[in-house]
């Protein structure tokens, strides 16, 4: 029984298809939060592999805070996020 999820579904939109940008967590999260390809921010592997990311893409040890992200854009439009 999932009353909260059911309530969200009733008031939301249904997207039956989804394509992820990568088969691992960090790059997929980057694409979901920004709408951009993860390679743009050097997200080619898990952020735990920072040595790999830093070696391949210097100065990109994570997603820059200046990049607009879905949660912040929703907050700016008056929505509450968590």
């Amino acid at each position: 029984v999932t009353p909260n999820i059911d309530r969200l579904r009733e008031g939301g939109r249904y997207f039956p298809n989804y394509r992820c940008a990568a088969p691992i967590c960090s790059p997929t999260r980057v694409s979901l939060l920004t709408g951009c390809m993860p390679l743009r921010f050097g997200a080619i592997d898990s952020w735990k592999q920072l040595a790999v990311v830093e070696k391949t893409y210097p100065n990109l040890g994570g997603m820059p805070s200046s990049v607009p992200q879905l949660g912040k854009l929703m907050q700016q439009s008056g929505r509450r996020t968590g």
Side-chain angles (χ1 to χ4, degrees):
V1 179
T2 56
N4 293 331
I5 293 174
D6 294 343
R7 223 176 21 252
L8 281 171
R9 169 63 183 105
E10 289 171 11
R13 297 193 125 189
Y14 176 62
F15 296 99
N17 298 313
Y18 173 73
R19 310 290 189 273
C20 69
I24 52 178
C25 182
S26 297
T28 299
R29 187 178 310 136
V30 167
S31 68
L32 285 171
L33 292 175
T34 66
C36 297
M37 292 299 292
L39 185 59
R40 180 176 183 175
F41 305 109
I44 56 172
D45 204 342
S46 169
W47 288 125
K48 287 184 177 182
Q49 303 295 328
L50 284 179
V52 173
V53 174
E54 284 288 336
K55 186 181 198 181
T56 310
Y57 297 93
N59 304 318
L60 287 177
M63 191 165 53
S65 59
S66 61
V67 175
Q69 297 178 32
L70 181 62
K72 293 293 181 192
L73 295 173
M74 290 177 73
Q75 288 173 353
Q76 291 169 1
S77 71
R79 298 184 190 267
R80 290 183 3 193
T81 63

